[in-house]
Amino acid sequence: MSKKPFYITTPIYYPSDRLHIGHAYCTTIADSIARYKRLSGYDVFFLTGSDEHGQKIQRKAEEANTTPIAYVDKIVDSFKHLWEKLDISNDDFIRTTERRHHELVQAVFQKIYDQGDIYKAEYEGWYCTPCETFWMERQLTDGKCPDCGRPVEIVKEESYFFRMSKYQERLLKFIEENPEFIQPVSRRNEMINFIKGGLEDLCVSRTTFDWGIPVPFDTKHVVYVWFDALTNYITAAGYLDDREKFAKYWPADIHLVGKEIVRFHSIIWPVILMALDIELPKKVYGHGWLVVEGDKMSKSKGNVIDPLALIDEFGADAIRYFLLREITLGLDGNFSRDALISRINADLANDLGNLLHRSLSMIGRFNGGIIEAAGEAEPVDQDLIELAQNTAAVYQKYMDQQDINGALKAVWALIGRTNKYIDETGPWALAKDPAKKGRLNTVLYNLAEVLRIVSILISPFMPQTSPKIWAQLGIAANFADVQLADAKAWGRIEACTAIAKAEPIFPRIEEAPVNEAQAQPAEAIAVPAPQPEAEAAPDTPEITIDEFAKVDLRVAKVLAAEKVKKADKLLLLTVDLGTEQRTIISGIAKHYEPEQLVGQNVVMVVNLKPAKIRGIESRGMVLAASCDDKLQLVTADMPAGSKVK
Ligand code: MSP
């Protein structure tokens, strides 16, 4: 059976400058949707590219003392390099300076002119060069561009006009009859109001510069850059030169664009298509903007974030995950280094990374590195298995509505549940009792299976991570052949699979977030650890409430725990205090397995003087109750950082 086609596009970016993290955001969303569709068995055509003509580029080239083509060639190379580094899986990259596009634009312009929908007249009005947009006097905001707020220029020239007005009612009817066409709904309402306000004929040629595609029948005019740019979507789909391809992929399933260019895609573009008698795209999705500390990125503010530097520092998957998880599609979102590091540490290093690491190290320690067939089952297993199997369906529902955030939350709910399953089933205790070997095998098998499912579900978002998890689990099948259906099935890992060496997939980023706690001198807040086994003598001298108040007790969440080499009593804990993370050494290794501690909210003294134990600086002490040779940590079901008094 032939696969169903799916065509998704990003906007084609202006090569006036290098791309920033906001552009990377848009392309990452499109890439994740494209990868998800491939995973779901679709024949995907994913297009991105560059929008190379127009006055702005011509001026930039002049400023750089070079030709427009030499100028854009260099920048377009940097686009392609970025998409490679970010693991973007586009099937084509269109440049509007390519011959295939030049020919198409001229053919389309000629056809619309021949049928009388393009006519010549005099244009007098305002033009915003950075946005390459015409405005009427009444549309300006304080005399400036209503979109970008920059100055506009008066333009008076003989031009060709496109009869948009003729299509107004047809367009309105189409939008009203196709509620899915413009998403999200807020953008749809905005567009309906705009059209109801009356569509003016659009000026579609310029004569005051020549960096563009000449109007075929009047070559002193070049085609307006938006008319040129929008048609890229049908050039690449083969409208002129590959009928079979065009019949397969057109109409496009999604044009993913930023919110400020929804208007071009849901008004000008559909009218061009109507004039050409071509079906309209199924959906125009307007995503929000990525801002930096609440501010629009701009060179003059010096707050432009370079995605390449971030990829080099944190890896492509971590950046992709952050962009997709932190920002709800359709809304604006904030970029900050602190938020990025928190996400990496909490979601990737802690939740996902620890689940993988704990599971693999237990399979290693308790089962000699072999995933054995499941043995005895208990009701708690069924609960986990049902959630694991349902997660793919819930995820699919979200992804089919472009709710990437919802899909990621569903996967992380499964990860969270599985971490809890480890605590509930206590494999370290099962491992101590040979009679419980069957039960231990079940628990370890279930952990491996969840990880297999998780690796499939995260693959559209973190394409490098999934095959790594797969390889660590020792699964022989090629990850490239995986389908979404494999994430709905349970029990695919074969018994006796030998796992590979466990390597951390997302190392914790040890950089204190910039916050108030960090601003204090370290000594004032730092503390060491050990002697948790010290028992209180019944005749301890009395202290005053003020003396007691000097002890700063807090709830701390254990993020990671491991044995200290060559010290059989000591564990090295990484804990989260809400505002910062600490490393502490605790003498509880005889009473707790490291895996048991991760995720627990313990009580700790945070203002004890730091101490160096086995060369490691310990900054704090966890509290434990002890009696004879029994010891139990004091825990509190309260958020990390809560004060204990
Ligand atoms: N060339 C036109 C698009 C033509 S499509 C037929 C254009 N180019 S652009 O380079 O200025 O912008 C491309 C896309 O990047 C737009 O969708 C825009 O919304 C997006 N972004 C630019 N800055 C952004 C953020 N800070 N955040 C998110 N997206 C942003 O417009």
Side-chain angles (χ1 to χ4, degrees):
M1 205 178 75
S2 68
K3 289 178 170 184
K4 270 175 79 178
F6 184 83
Y7 181 20
I8 180 165
T9 66
T10 72
I12 48 172
Y13 300 94
Y14 289 129
S16 45
D17 226 322
R18 282 173 182 266
L19 297 178
H20 58 56
I21 191 77
H23 304 115
Y25 169 59
C26 178
T27 304
T28 302
I29 300 166
D31 184 66
S32 302
I33 297 174
R35 286 176 182 273
Y36 161 72
K37 282 290 179 183
R38 289 191 199 107
L39 188 67
S40 308
Y42 282 76
D43 173 348
V44 173
F45 182 48
F46 169 28
L47 177 70
T48 189
S50 49
D51 182 1
E52 306 185 11
H53 295 124
Q55 191 163 349
K56 181 168 59 178
I57 303 269
Q58 180 158 338
R59 284 191 186 159
K60 282 266 187 184
E62 279 159 12
E63 282 163 25
N65 222 352
T66 183
T67 60
I69 193 68
Y71 183 84
V72 294
D73 273 354
K74 217 164 129 202
I75 299 188
V76 168
D77 279 349
S78 77
F79 287 10
K80 291 183 175 170
H81 176 65
L82 171 62
W83 300 148
E84 229 170 80
K85 296 275 282 188
L86 198 56
D87 254 309
I88 301 301
S89 62
N90 54 302
D91 299 289
D92 195 357
F93 185 104
I94 185 161
R95 297 184 58 172
T96 53
T97 46
E98 284 170 308
R99 204 167 118 193
R100 59 172 170 164
H101 185 65
H102 188 114
E103 283 172 0
L104 180 129
V105 171
Q106 289 195 323
V108 160
F109 203 95
Q110 182 79 54
K111 181 172 190 296
I112 300 179
Y113 176 73
D114 290 345
Q115 73 196 32
D117 282 343
I118 286 179
Y119 61 91
K120 199 174 191 176
E122 172 93 348
Y123 177 77
E124 182 165 7
W126 298 95
Y127 195 71
C128 173
T129 306
C131 296
E132 301 280 16
T133 308
F134 295 99
W135 296 108
M136 284 174 287
E137 180 106 32
R138 64 176 166 82
Q139 293 175 308
L140 303 178
T141 311
D142 300 331
K144 302 229 168 93
C145 171
D147 266 1
C148 72
R150 282 177 280 204
V152 286
E153 302 170 52
I154 187 86
V155 172
K156 187 173 177 189
E157 59 191 74
E158 179 195 270
S159 296
Y160 285 93
F161 279 80
F162 178 35
R163 255 183 244 287
M164 300 271 293
S165 50
K166 174 176 153 190
Y167 294 90
Q168 174 169 332
E169 290 315 312
R170 234 175 102 185
L171 178 63
L172 201 54
K173 189 161 174 276
F174 179 85
I175 295 176
E176 281 172 345
E177 284 173 358
N178 292 278
E180 287 289 301
F181 177 56
I182 306 172
Q183 289 290 319
V185 181
S186 53
R187 301 270 159 244
R188 178 171 186 266
N189 298 338
E190 216 178 283
M191 291 307 117
I192 291 177
N193 290 337
F194 189 93
I195 300 166
K196 283 185 175 162
L199 287 190
E200 309 253 340
D201 290 351
L202 178 72
C203 178
V204 284
S205 76
R206 303 291 311 273
T207 51
T208 51
F209 63 92
D210 58 8
W211 180 236
I213 298 174
V215 167
F217 45 84
D218 191 349
T219 52
K220 76 173 192 293
H221 291 255
V222 292
V223 175
Y224 171 45
V225 67
W226 270 101
F227 189 100
D228 164 352
L230 288 162
T231 53
N232 91 86
Y233 301 129
I234 54 172
T235 304
Y239 177 57
L240 260 199
D241 58 4
D242 191 342
R243 274 172 189 235
E244 209 179 304
K245 183 176 182 186
F246 193 70
K248 177 155 130 194
Y249 291 117
W250 194 261
D253 291 86
I254 302 182
H255 289 315
L256 183 75
V257 299
K259 61 181 183 182
E260 87 289 9
I261 60 170
V262 168
R263 192 164 51 88
F264 296 91
H265 285 79
S266 57
I267 298 178
I268 302 179
W269 180 223
V271 174
I272 296 176
L273 290 168
M274 281 175 178
L276 292 171
D277 206 14
I278 299 177
E279 237 185 297
L280 302 199
K282 293 183 197 154
K283 190 178 290 187
V284 173
Y285 199 111
H287 65 74
W289 274 51
L290 199 60
V291 293
V292 175
E293 313 294 353
D295 238 357
K296 202 172 155 182
M297 264 178 275
S298 83
K299 264 190 161 176
S300 54
K301 287 190 197 124
N303 64 351
V304 177
I305 308 281
D306 173 12
L308 277 176
L310 288 177
I311 295 168
D312 282 345
E313 188 174 358
F314 300 103
D317 277 10
I319 302 303
R320 291 172 62 110
Y321 175 78
F322 171 78
L323 294 173
L324 299 168
R325 178 64 185 83
E326 189 78 3
I327 304 141
T328 304
L329 195 58
L331 304 179
D332 286 352
N334 199 44
F335 177 88
S336 84
R337 194 178 164 86
D338 277 2
L340 170 65
I341 292 175
S342 297
R343 279 270 171 222
I344 294 176
N345 283 346
D347 299 5
L348 300 181
N350 190 35
D351 296 343
L352 174 61
N354 269 344
L355 176 62
L356 179 69
H357 201 74
R358 289 168 94 188
S359 304
L360 290 174
S361 65
M362 288 192 290
I363 294 169
R365 291 209 340 259
F366 306 147
N367 268 4
I370 303 293
I371 306 172
E372 307 256 21
E376 296 141 34
E378 283 189 6
V380 64
D381 304 337
Q382 209 41 46
D383 190 42
L384 180 79
I385 294 171
E386 267 169 31
L387 180 69
Q389 286 181 292
N390 285 342
T391 299
V394 173
Y395 163 101
Q396 190 170 14
K397 198 180 98 222
Y398 283 122
M399 286 304 287
D400 286 339
Q401 299 163 357
Q402 292 80 48
D403 185 350
I404 296 180
N405 220 259
L408 280 170
K409 279 187 192 155
V411 179
W412 255 255
L414 173 61
I415 293 172
R417 177 66 191 87
T418 314
N419 269 318
K420 196 161 155 241
Y421 173 81
I422 298 181
D423 301 332
E424 287 166 349
T425 53
W428 45 87
L430 298 173
K432 284 185 183 146
D433 183 352
K436 301 214 167 120
K437 178 78 174 98
R439 182 72 200 126
L440 174 69
N441 286 348
T442 306
V443 171
L444 297 180
Y445 184 87
N446 291 348
L447 294 176
E449 262 299 285
V450 169
L451 283 161
R452 180 189 66 83
I453 289 173
V454 166
S455 71
I456 298 172
L457 297 180
I458 62 172
S459 64
F461 319 120
M462 294 189 280
Q464 290 176 8
T465 302
S466 300
K468 279 190 204 157
I469 298 180
W470 207 251
Q472 293 197 16
L473 287 170
I475 302 174
N478 188 352
F479 193 82
D481 301 330
V482 163
Q483 291 283 300
L484 186 60
D486 297 323
K488 293 181 180 166
W490 183 263
R492 287 283 173 87
I493 295 185
E494 287 182 26
C496 299
T497 297
I499 59 163
K501 190 165 177 286
E503 305 274 3
I505 42 171
F506 290 105
R508 172 166 295 283
I509 314 290
E510 300 299 350
E511 178 177 297
V514 180
N515 57 27
E516 283 167 294
Q518 195 204 27
Q520 296 180 43
E523 300 76 10
I525 52 164
V527 231
Q531 359 77 0
E533 284 163 85
E535 286 174 28
D539 55 353
T540 19
E542 273 182 354
I543 55 167
T544 65
I545 187 85
D546 290 343
E547 281 168 319
F548 173 69
K550 287 186 190 158
V551 184
D552 190 357
L553 295 169
R554 303 271 171 167
V555 175
K557 186 182 175 89
V558 181
L559 300 175
E562 61 186 88
K563 294 199 158 144
V564 175
K565 281 194 192 108
K566 296 190 192 144
D568 54 358
K569 279 195 185 159
L570 301 182
L571 288 184
L572 172 69
L573 308 180
T574 308
V575 299
D576 177 17
L577 280 169
T579 51
E580 61 168 322
Q581 288 176 13
R582 297 269 187 99
T583 300
I584 57 180
I585 303 279
S586 185
I588 54 172
K590 293 255 189 237
H591 304 272
Y592 286 92
E593 292 293 334
E595 295 82 10
Q596 253 175 305
L597 294 171
V598 176
Q600 297 239 31
N601 282 10
V602 296
V603 174
M604 121 180 203
V605 187
V606 296
N607 61 338
L608 204 61
K609 210 165 175 237
K612 246 196 182 158
I613 300 157
R614 305 262 165 170
I616 306 166
E617 185 176 66
S618 177
R619 300 172 61 219
M621 181 175 83
V622 291
L623 299 191
S626 68
C627 176
D628 299 329
D629 56 356
K630 279 205 303 217
L631 180 138
Q632 194 172 55
L633 286 171
V634 179
T635 59
D637 194 10
M638 292 291 284
S642 305
K643 186 140 178 65
V644 180
K645 44 188 184 181

